[in-house]
């Protein structure tokens, strides 16, 4: 596993994002709508930086099936949403890849009578967009590689890492081959123990 963004870099990114959001929205109350499950870490860090009144709600979206690293069909669940009429909404997702998730969710939220709907993502992958929509706020532009950590998973694993890492082909293959999570976790940890001190997060 190669570290792409350390927890310090992520932290600085969240500060920049929260400042940009407040510059645009001012001190008006903001309804943050996070996209489960990948945005949980981002939402929890972001809302503690967004000064001024904030409400939080979650929707669920999934376009990945198990050990695939390319999106499948999109599934959405919006039944946890409160009444959004008249509210300033900020849709928050972990990563903008093809953009299909964000585009579909923005359309759903706009139909619910919000005063405004903006979107924020921590990451945007280069050269992958399949939609015309772009997020209003982007934390980091990253290369087209499969990343995990800080909320993002591969087949349900690695969301808990405090940094963002690129999963290499061996790790993807090991997961696909059914290597159990504990052995894979130990294997990755021993790889990291060999790394020189540095951007380890
Ligand atoms: P999109 O609809 O193609 O933009 O996909 C967005 C969703 O795909 C994100 O919310 C993530 O859940 C997932 N995704 C895309 N790229 C990655 C990645 O590199 N690692 C983990 N999840 C990803
Ligand atoms: Mg997601």
């Amino acid at each position: 596993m190669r570290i792409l963004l350390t927890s310090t870099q992520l932290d600085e990114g969240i500060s920049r994002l929260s400042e940009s959001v407040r510059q645009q929205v001012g001190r008006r109350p903001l309804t943050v709508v996070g996209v489960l499950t990948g945005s949980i870490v981002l939402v929890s860090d972001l809302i503690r930086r967004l000064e001024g009144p904030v409400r939080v709600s979650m929707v669920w979206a999934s376009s990945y099936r198990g050990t695939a690293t390319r999106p499948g069909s999109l599934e959405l669940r919006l039944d946890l949403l409160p009444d959004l009429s008249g509210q300033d909404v900020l849709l928050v997702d972990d990563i903008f890849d093809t953009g299909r998730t964000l585009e579909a969710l923005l359309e759903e939220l706009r139909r619910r009578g919000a005063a405004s709907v903006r979107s924020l993502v921590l990451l945007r992958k280069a050269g992958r967009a399949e939609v015309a929509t772009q997020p209003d706020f982007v934390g980091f532009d990253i290369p087209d590689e499969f990343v995990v950590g800080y909320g993002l998973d591969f087949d349900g694993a690695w969301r808990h890492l405090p940094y963002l890492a690129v999963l290499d082909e061996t790790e993807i293959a090991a997961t696909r081959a059914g290597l159990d999570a504990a052995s894979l976790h130990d294997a990755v940890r021993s790889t990291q123990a060999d790394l020189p001190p540095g951007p380890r997060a």
Side-chain angles (χ1 to χ4, degrees), residues 4-5 35 37-40 42 63-64 69-70 91-103 105 120-126 128 135 137-153 159 164-165:
L4 193 63
L5 295 168
V35 184
T37 305
S39 77
I40 52 169
L42 171 63
S63 54
Y64 283 94
T69 54
R70 288 301 187 216
L91 178 64
V92 175
D93 203 1
D94 50 3
I95 187 166
F96 186 91
D97 184 23
T98 66
R100 300 215 172 271
T101 306
L102 209 74
E103 186 183 64
L105 283 171
L120 177 151
V121 294
L122 179 71
L123 310 163
R124 175 169 56 192
K125 262 192 214 177
R128 297 265 308 150
F137 307 98
V138 177
F140 301 91
D141 279 297
I142 62 166
D144 180 12
E145 289 179 295
F146 198 80
V147 290
V148 295
Y150 199 77
L152 292 103
D153 75 306
R159 292 195 199 275
L164 191 83

Side-chain angles (χ1 to χ4, degrees), residues 8-100:
T8 309
Q9 288 172 312
L10 289 166
D11 204 56
E12 288 161 0
I14 307 301
S15 291
R16 283 196 302 274
L17 284 168
S18 55
E19 280 162 28
S20 315
V21 170
R22 279 303 176 196
Q23 263 167 24
Q24 272 208 25
V25 183
R27 299 285 135 187
R28 289 203 300 281
L30 197 59
T31 301
V32 169
V33 175
V35 184
L36 291 168
T37 305
S39 77
I40 52 169
V41 184
L42 171 63
V43 166
S44 77
D45 280 348
L46 186 72
I47 58 175
R48 287 178 288 174
R49 293 284 175 75
L50 284 171
E51 282 152 36
V54 169
R55 288 165 187 267
V56 184
S57 180
M58 302 302 268
V59 293
W60 183 89
S62 181
S63 54
Y64 283 94
R65 298 287 167 274
T67 59
T69 54
R70 288 301 187 216
S73 66
L74 180 64
E75 223 184 304
L76 301 178
R77 288 188 214 159
L78 292 97
D79 41 299
L80 296 174
L81 274 182
D83 177 18
L84 296 179
S85 48
Q87 301 197 26
D88 290 299
V89 173
L90 181 67
L91 178 64
V92 175
D93 203 1
D94 50 3
I95 187 166
F96 186 91
D97 184 23
T98 66
R100 300 215 172 271

